[in-house]
Amino acid sequence: MGEKKLTREEVAKFLEKDSQFAEEYFSTKATSSMVEKWITKHSGGKESISWSGATGTSLGDTEKGAAILKHFRKSMSGAGGSLKNLISGSPKPKTLRRSRTVLKEMNEKEMFMELIRDIANELDINTLSHKILMNVSILTNGDRSSLFLVRGPKEKRYLVSKLFDVSENSTLEESIHSEADEIRIPIGKGIVGHVALTKETVNIKNAYEDPRFNREIDKKTGYKTHSILCMPICSHEGEVIGVAQIINKISGDHEFTAKDEQVFANYLTFCGIGLMNAQLFDMSVQEYKRNQMLLQLARGIFEEQSSLDGVVHKMMSEAISLLKCERVLVFILEEHEEGGLADHFRIEHPSVKKNSRVRKQLTYEDEVVFATAFDLFAKDGEVKKPSAATMEWSSKNGIAKHVATTGETLNIEDTQNNSPFKMGVDEGSGFTPRTLLCMPIYNSEHKIIGVTQLLNKVSGQPFHEQDVNIFEAFAIFCGLGIHNTQMYENACKLMAKQAVALEVLSYHATAQPEEVDKIKKMEIRSAEDFGLFDFRFDDLKLAEDETLTASIRMFQECDLINKFHVPYDVMCTWLLSVKKNYRNVTYHNWRHAFNVAQTMFAMVKSGGMDIVITDLECFALIVACLCHDLDHRGTNNAYQLKSESPLAQLYGTSTMEHHHFDHCIMILNSEGNNIFESLSSEDYRNVIKILESAILSTDLALYFKKRGSFSQLVEKGEKDWKDTEKKDLLRGMMMTACDVSAITKPWEIQHRVAELVAGEFFEQGDLEKVQLGQQPIAMMDREKKDELPKMQVGFIDAICMPVYKTFADLEPLLSPLFEGCLSNRKNWQALAERHDQLLKNDTDSGNTKSSKEEDKKSSSKSAAQGNKNRGEDADERVNSTSAGTAKTDSNAQASNSNNPSSHPSPTPQPTTLPPQPPSADSKEMREKASSDTAAPEKDGDLKHSEVITPPKKLETSQDNIDVEKQNMKNVEGSRSATRRTSAVHNQERESLDSKPKSSLCVLL
């Protein structure tokens, strides 16, 4: 009976039923042709694939490789799920790997299929690379193996050692090379580089006989290399993506055979597919992370738009975290077309058409100006402003400016040796850059608004192409964030400008034609008649209109109206407008500005400064003096910041000074007020520049910065002031000297001015208490008047004496300013010492009276107990008498000390200064005082040369009478009843500053 044959259907049914048997059978019995057919069928191809690659179509063929890659992707997607799950989901179960011994027991085809399965679904490129090398060693009996992957752009590719010198027992952690310690080999260099360049298989029998072999590797590792088998790993497109290398065969004659080459080549074909899959997966992971980072960055940037600092800080922190570098620098370009209120009202020469100003396109590095910069070190984690030394270092190497002008992205691998920009060491931080990536930051209009620099990757390697791509996308988001923040800040500034403009327009008026006609018809007296040449000038004798004619006389005396062709009606209109734009505050009003201008005039004409100052500078300086406190509100810069006024939002520093200048520009831009309209274009620009610098110089914060440089120049005997910086410094010091010149006036004038300053100070202090709920500084606190004399002396020592002493050394004709300041210092010092003496006397008197009261109370108690039979009435009379005595003594003490709290008043009382120190009453001192000056001295005046010393004894009644008479003269000399002294007390408590910015001195 013949054997029954099974049909195909029965066999298929059996294999489907027993899948385990089918798998085992296939893995042991399948031939290479069967595997080829299976791959071809499942990849969609029709042609056969040769294992050896010698005949037929190779597995590396483009179409077949693409088909196989497609199949592998399909398998991957079916098993792995979403990319997010692959990245952050639960780990895949590990596949049990057969031991080397078990694999050796298999036949060639079984082992080959097992090793293919081992790498088929591996997506982690590090693990995959390690498996490839371990499996290659098994297939070829190699002792050591290494894997190099291709990196870099196409025009500059190189090889990196992903795993190096892997042995049979090496683990992944031991063999993997990080970016910091990886070996880089240029394409075409050495054996590995040659294989990557030519795609040839290199089989070397004796490594030391091959000139391409690098013997230094053996010296470093201590391992002896004999034979080498090196092959390329190609993608499905035939492009080299890596190179695998096997060293020292451990069997036979220790040389790799042709069969080894064939097996090696076949396995690397599958390895190429696996590496491509792993690299694609790694790229997907990186892209996913990059997108998540950019989304997070965009969310953070667009949430924080109220502050440029906040946006840049967030941007830099993200850059450090993402790109793993040691330092980040960001430079923000100056906004040329935008600025403060002055830019809104900026004066242009009449030949320049309106609305013709556009943002200047930077084409030269010298034009680049960075408005601000930020610096972040990864080790510190705190964003700071770069030091002056760091900014100088950046300016010298020129990288940031180059990128700002060209828009070019710079990726410098070696900043010290192989770069057109020699960076050197940053002296400001001691930082030495090695690698650099610098890129421009664009706004939404594709204009460069800044530059950012990344320095030194943490790994020590240069920035690669992926870093550049990520940073480019990063910079786009940052540019949008910075631009939006700048737009927001500009919108806030525009709102502040509007608020300020509305306030100004609602308060101020312009000069009326009838007012101009009145001034034009007035007689202009001579400068001598006005007393304009005298440093002891007193404006109190002039009426309001006379201050205007005196101002005109100053311009005429300097021949400025004639030289610069100023129409007389324009001069009159401008002066009236300036006067009207001063508020009716206690001190910083038109009178103060007029006095400052007179001092400037006297310094030029009587002080010998006309030799140094040109006519155009003289014109600008007198105008600056008249305008330097325009629209002053009676409060200083600190108050503007505390109250968060629109001015404080509009200007960052020198708040009031910027406002004064902007207001000056606004008046000049008004119709019929431009006294500079006849100047040439160059003179026009220069006079506005001088005007701005001069007005800003009245900020004492700037004075403190510049004073040292000015003193050094004078001490060196500087005579040539033609240099631009030196001349600007000189003009600034002259403005300060004029601004505080009230301290140099005769004591009667200084005493009167001090009353006005005190009133304004105390008014600000009241505002701080009532509106801000804050305690003002002592100089502005009515309750601390007693401390003012000492503070006035401190103000003179810190601010006034240095500047006047320097000017006296520079030009002896300016010595009267220094002498007047010195004389008034002695007067204020005398008041301070007398006040201290009175405090001491009051304290001693209070202790004595307290003792007497205790004695009286004790006596009363004894008398009451000793006379019980006299009854309750007698006791009450005794106690009443004692209490009345104590009350009388207390009232007398309060009266003697003139305590303001003991005289409550429903209305504010006029500010009262301490009386002037009595002049020496001895005949000898009067004769000496008379010989010190040719001008006759008025009663009660203190001469500049007179030494004021505190009295050595208690005051007599006659002393008090003399003091009262002197203060009555001051009262009679005042034109403003609200600012006069109503009474003079014996106790000197008040000391005042001739400039409200002295509060800054106290704060500093």
Side-chain angles (χ1 to χ4, degrees):
M1 186 176 179
E3 186 178 359
K4 184 181 178 180
K5 294 184 179 181
L6 297 175
T7 64
R8 290 177 61 87
E9 290 76 13
E10 290 175 336
V11 173
K13 186 175 181 180
F14 173 81
L15 293 176
E16 289 176 358
K17 183 177 180 181
D18 195 347
S19 59
Q20 183 177 0
F21 172 81
E23 181 178 354
E24 291 178 355
Y25 185 83
F26 180 81
S27 62
T28 55
K29 300 296 183 179
T31 64
S32 60
S33 60
M34 292 173 63
V35 175
E36 290 175 331
K37 290 179 181 179
W38 182 89
I39 294 176
T40 302
K41 181 178 180 179
H42 286 79
S43 62
K46 296 180 180 180
E47 298 177 6
S48 64
I49 303 174
S50 173
W51 286 93
S52 63
T55 60
T57 305
S58 67
L59 190 61
D61 182 79
T62 301
E63 294 181 1
K64 300 307 173 186
I68 295 173
L69 180 59
K70 181 177 179 181
H71 168 71
F72 270 77
R73 287 177 177 173
K74 185 175 180 181
S75 301
M76 181 191 73
S77 62
S82 68
L83 180 61
K84 184 175 181 180
N85 292 333
L86 288 171
I87 296 173
S88 57
S90 57
K92 297 183 297 182
K94 293 185 178 180
T95 303
L96 293 177
R97 178 182 175 87
R98 297 178 186 269
S99 66
R100 191 181 184 103
T101 305
V102 173
L103 291 172
K104 287 292 185 181
E105 293 175 356
M106 298 179 181
N107 61 45
E108 183 178 324
K109 295 297 183 285
E110 289 177 340
M111 181 173 63
F112 200 92
M113 293 302 301
E114 180 65 21
L115 296 181
I116 290 177
R117 283 195 296 268
D118 187 40
I119 64 172
N121 293 324
E122 184 59 61
L123 295 177
D124 181 75
I125 193 167
N126 294 330
T127 305
L128 175 63
S129 300
H130 187 258
K131 285 184 176 181
I132 289 174
L133 293 181
M134 296 295 288
N135 294 343
V136 164
S137 297
I138 295 173
L139 288 171
T140 61
N141 288 320
D143 185 32
R144 301 286 178 96
S145 56
S146 300
L147 180 65
F148 300 86
L149 298 181
V150 177
R151 293 285 186 265
K154 290 185 178 180
E155 65 275 7
K156 196 176 181 180
R157 290 195 173 267
Y158 55 90
L159 295 162
V160 297
S161 58
K162 195 66 180 177
L163 290 96
F164 185 75
D165 209 26
V166 177
S167 64
E168 177 182 354
N169 299 320
S170 299
T171 63
L172 174 61
E173 292 73 20
E174 294 173 348
S175 306
I176 192 72
H177 276 194
S178 64
E179 190 175 359
D181 55 6
E182 65 186 9
I183 301 172
R184 287 196 175 199
I185 302 175
I187 299 294
K189 184 178 180 179
I191 298 174
V192 175
H194 172 78
V195 171
L197 179 65
T198 62
K199 300 183 183 179
E200 297 176 356
T201 298
V202 174
N203 190 349
I204 302 175
K205 308 300 181 180
N206 189 339
Y208 281 78
E209 293 179 358
D210 194 305
R212 296 169 297 183
F213 176 70
N214 186 3
R215 303 184 181 188
E216 295 299 322
I217 301 297
D218 281 3
K219 292 181 180 179
K220 290 182 179 180
T221 60
Y223 181 80
K224 179 72 172 181
T225 302
H226 299 287
S227 57
I228 298 175
L229 179 59
C230 192
M231 279 191 180
I233 303 175
C234 298
S235 67
H236 65 280
E237 295 179 351
E239 182 180 359
V240 176
I241 60 175
V243 174
Q245 178 179 269
I246 314 171
I247 300 174
N248 294 355
K249 188 171 182 176
I250 59 178
S251 61
D253 57 358
H254 305 294
E255 295 179 356
F256 296 102
T257 64
K259 184 179 180 181
D260 293 331
E261 293 181 23
Q262 182 180 350
V263 173
F264 195 21
N266 291 336
Y267 191 72
L268 289 184
T269 302
F270 287 95
C271 293
I273 298 172
L275 284 174
M276 282 295 297
N277 279 337
Q279 288 181 340
L280 288 172
F281 178 75
D282 185 66
M283 290 172 60
S284 300
V285 171
Q286 295 300 325
E287 188 67 22
Y288 175 83
K289 291 181 178 180
R290 173 188 174 188
N291 292 337
Q292 291 298 312
M293 179 277 302
L294 292 177
L295 287 174
Q296 181 181 354
L297 177 64
R299 189 182 303 113
I301 286 177
F302 293 111
E303 284 177 355
E304 175 60 60
Q305 292 191 4
S306 59
S307 169
L308 176 63
D309 289 2
V311 169
V312 176
H313 289 189
K314 186 177 291 292
M315 177 185 78
M316 297 175 73
S317 300
E318 293 290 345
I320 284 279
S321 174
L322 178 67
L323 296 169
K324 309 298 181 185
C325 57
E326 296 179 2
R327 187 181 186 184
V328 178
L329 283 166
V330 173
F331 303 91
I332 305 299
L333 283 170
E334 186 176 71
E335 295 181 75
H336 295 278
E337 81 283 19
E338 297 173 355
L341 194 63
D343 285 332
H344 188 66
F345 298 112
R346 182 69 65 187
I347 291 184
E348 297 291 351
H349 192 266
S351 63
V352 180
K353 296 181 179 180
K354 290 188 176 181
N355 301 324
S356 64
R357 298 179 70 248
V358 295
R359 185 184 182 98
K360 185 178 181 181
Q361 184 66 35
L362 301 177
T363 55
Y364 299 100
E365 294 181 11
D366 292 338
E367 297 176 342
V368 175
V369 178
F370 294 113
T372 185
F374 304 88
D375 195 0
L376 172 62
F377 284 89
K379 61 181 181 180
D380 298 332
E382 181 181 358
V383 179
K384 300 178 181 179
K385 299 288 184 182
S387 64
T390 296
M391 292 300 294
E392 183 179 0
W393 167 72
S394 176
S395 178
K396 285 183 178 180
N397 64 57
I399 293 177
K401 290 186 176 182
H402 175 79
V403 172
T405 53
T406 63
E408 178 185 357
T409 297
L410 294 179
N411 187 358
I412 303 176
E413 297 183 359
D414 188 353
T415 60
Q416 301 298 325
N417 302 315
N418 189 20
S419 169
F421 305 94
K422 299 302 180 182
M423 299 191 69
V425 179
D426 175 12
E427 298 295 339
S429 61
F431 181 84
T432 302
R434 301 184 303 275
T435 58
L436 175 140
L437 179 58
C438 187
M439 188 174 293
I441 300 175
Y442 293 92
N443 62 11
S444 58
E445 300 172 356
H446 202 67
K447 293 182 179 179
I448 297 176
I449 59 175
V451 173
T452 180
Q453 291 182 357
L454 305 182
L455 298 169
N456 292 6
K457 289 203 71 172
V458 175
S459 63
Q461 298 296 328
F463 294 93
H464 47 68
E465 186 178 11
Q466 187 178 6
D467 292 329
V468 176
N469 293 335
I470 293 176
F471 196 45
E472 185 176 19
F474 182 85
I476 292 174
F477 278 90
C478 294
L480 294 175
I482 292 174
H483 179 65
N484 288 344
T485 303
Q486 290 178 334
M487 294 295 292
Y488 176 82
E489 291 181 346
N490 290 336
C492 292
K493 286 185 178 181
L494 288 174
M495 293 175 63
K497 287 179 183 180
Q498 183 183 22
V500 172
L502 290 175
E503 183 184 3
V504 169
L505 292 175
S506 63
Y507 182 86
H508 296 296
T510 56
Q512 301 300 318
E514 55 271 18
E515 295 175 315
V516 176
D517 292 338
K518 178 183 177 182
I519 297 300
K520 289 171 62 178
K521 295 176 182 179
M522 290 183 65
E523 178 186 359
I524 309 297
R525 291 189 289 161
S526 67
E528 291 82 0
D529 193 18
F530 280 120
L532 296 175
F533 293 108
D534 195 348
F535 288 112
R536 298 174 299 175
F537 174 79
D538 186 4
D539 71 292
L540 204 58
K541 59 188 178 183
L542 301 182
E544 290 298 313
D545 289 343
E546 288 180 316
T547 60
L548 294 170
T549 57
S551 299
I552 295 174
R553 172 53 66 189
M554 285 189 281
F555 287 106
Q556 290 178 338
E557 195 68 28
C558 297
D559 199 24
L560 301 175
I561 296 177
N562 179 49
K563 285 181 180 179
F564 298 110
H565 308 290
V566 183
Y568 191 70
D569 59 335
V570 174
M571 175 61 72
C572 295
T573 303
W574 176 78
L575 278 171
L576 279 167
S577 298
V578 170
K579 182 176 181 295
K580 283 179 173 289
N581 278 270
Y582 273 95
R583 300 196 182 198
N584 189 26
V585 294
T586 307
Y587 176 68
H588 284 91
N589 47 39
W590 163 250
R591 288 272 178 173
H592 166 65
F594 171 69
N595 276 286
V596 173
Q598 184 276 327
T599 304
M600 179 64 72
F601 174 82
M603 289 184 72
V604 173
K605 287 297 184 180
S606 303
M609 298 306 294
D610 54 345
I611 301 176
V612 181
I613 300 299
T614 65
D615 291 336
L616 187 67
E617 290 173 323
C618 181
F619 193 12
L621 288 175
I622 295 178
V623 171
C625 290
L626 291 172
C627 298
H628 82 283
D629 274 331
L630 274 169
D631 195 45
H632 202 290
R633 288 93 189 280
T635 52
N636 60 10
N637 290 339
Y639 181 82
Q640 305 303 322
L641 293 174
K642 291 178 183 178
S643 61
E644 297 181 351
S645 68
L647 287 177
Q649 297 177 34
L650 185 57
Y651 309 104
T653 57
S654 302
T655 301
M656 292 306 299
E657 288 73 23
H658 275 105
H659 177 58
H660 302 324
F661 171 68
D662 289 345
H663 208 81
C664 172
I665 297 298
M666 186 179 68
I667 294 175
L668 289 169
N669 270 338
S670 302
E671 185 177 357
N673 285 274
N674 193 352
I675 57 177
F676 300 139
E677 62 184 357
S678 299
L679 296 178
S680 65
S681 298
E682 183 178 358
D683 288 345
Y684 210 93
R685 289 190 296 268
N686 289 337
V687 79
I688 296 301
K689 184 177 180 181
I690 295 171
L691 189 63
E692 180 178 18
S693 177
I695 292 178
L696 294 183
S697 294
T698 58
D699 184 357
L700 287 183
L702 299 180
Y703 161 72
F704 282 121
K705 291 181 180 179
K706 297 179 179 180
R707 184 176 66 185
S709 300
F710 181 62
S711 298
Q712 290 178 2
L713 289 174
V714 175
E715 290 174 0
K716 293 179 181 178
E718 182 65 52
K719 298 297 181 183
D720 184 8
W721 297 91
K722 294 180 181 180
D723 179 74
T724 303
E725 292 185 3
K726 294 179 182 178
K727 181 62 74 70
D728 184 67
L729 182 62
L730 175 64
R731 291 193 300 260
M733 293 298 105
M734 290 177 67
M735 287 297 298
T736 300
C738 294
D739 197 15
V740 298
S741 60
I743 203 68
T744 69
K745 302 289 185 180
W747 174 247
E748 181 181 359
I749 302 174
Q750 158 65 188
H751 193 268
R752 184 180 69 241
V753 171
E755 295 179 7
L756 305 181
V757 180
E760 190 169 289
F761 272 19
F762 293 151
E763 288 168 9
Q764 176 175 327
D766 295 341
L767 288 175
E768 292 183 11
K769 290 180 180 178
V770 176
Q771 296 186 4
L772 304 182
Q774 298 180 4
Q775 181 64 30
I777 61 175
M779 186 171 286
M780 296 184 180
D781 192 350
R782 293 184 188 273
E783 299 177 1
K784 297 182 179 180
K785 300 177 183 178
D786 297 348
E787 301 177 18
L788 290 176
K790 289 183 179 179
M791 283 188 278
Q792 183 70 349
V793 174
F795 170 74
I796 294 174
D797 290 342
I799 296 174
C800 304
M801 293 290 286
V803 69
Y804 293 126
K805 177 65 169 63
T806 305
F807 270 112
D809 294 339
L810 175 65
E811 175 53 64
L813 293 175
L814 296 175
S815 297
L817 294 173
F818 175 65
E819 294 169 359
C821 180
L822 183 62
S823 176
N824 285 323
R825 185 198 183 283
K826 295 175 181 177
N827 294 342
W828 286 115
Q829 182 65 36
L831 293 180
E833 293 176 356
R834 290 180 63 190
H835 168 258
D836 292 342
Q837 183 64 39
L838 287 172
L839 281 181
K840 180 179 180 181
N841 294 342
D842 289 343
T843 302
D844 295 341
S845 177
N847 293 337
T848 303
K849 291 181 179 180
S850 297
S851 177
K852 290 181 179 180
E853 290 173 8
E854 292 296 330
D855 292 342
K856 289 182 179 180
K857 290 180 181 179
S858 177
S859 299
S860 298
K861 291 180 181 180
S862 299
Q865 289 184 353
N867 298 279
K868 290 182 180 180
N869 296 331
R870 297 181 182 179
E872 294 295 327
D873 293 338
D875 291 338
E876 291 177 2
R877 285 193 298 272
V878 171
N879 291 333
S880 176
T881 302
S882 300
T885 303
K887 182 177 181 181
T888 301
D889 293 340
S890 177
N891 288 340
Q893 180 181 351
S895 177
N896 291 335
S897 62
N898 281 313
N899 187 350
S901 61
S902 65
H903 302 284
S905 175
T907 59
Q909 297 299 317
T911 303
T912 303
L913 277 186
Q916 305 170 37
S919 58
D921 54 358
S922 67
K923 181 178 180 181
E924 292 79 2
M925 291 189 68
R926 285 197 299 268
E927 291 176 351
K928 182 180 184 300
S930 299
S931 62
D932 287 339
T933 178
E937 179 188 6
K938 298 180 181 179
D939 291 340
D941 283 350
L942 292 176
K943 295 186 177 182
H944 295 224
S945 59
E946 188 173 358
V947 179
I948 306 299
T949 56
K952 301 296 184 179
K953 59 181 180 180
L954 295 177
E955 295 183 36
T956 62
S957 299
Q958 185 61 39
D959 292 332
N960 292 332
I961 293 173
D962 292 340
V963 171
E964 188 68 28
K965 287 181 179 180
Q966 178 60 47
N967 283 285
M968 287 304 295
K969 291 181 180 180
N970 292 338
V971 172
E972 294 170 359
S974 176
R975 290 183 178 272
S976 177
T978 59
R979 297 167 185 166
R980 294 172 184 167
T981 304
S982 61
V984 178
H985 302 295
N986 292 331
Q987 194 177 40
E988 295 80 17
R989 294 184 305 276
E990 299 185 12
S991 171
L992 301 166
D993 189 353
S994 61
K995 179 177 177 58
K997 298 183 185 70
S998 61
S999 60
L1000 177 62
C1001 173
V1002 176
L1003 291 173
L1004 290 174

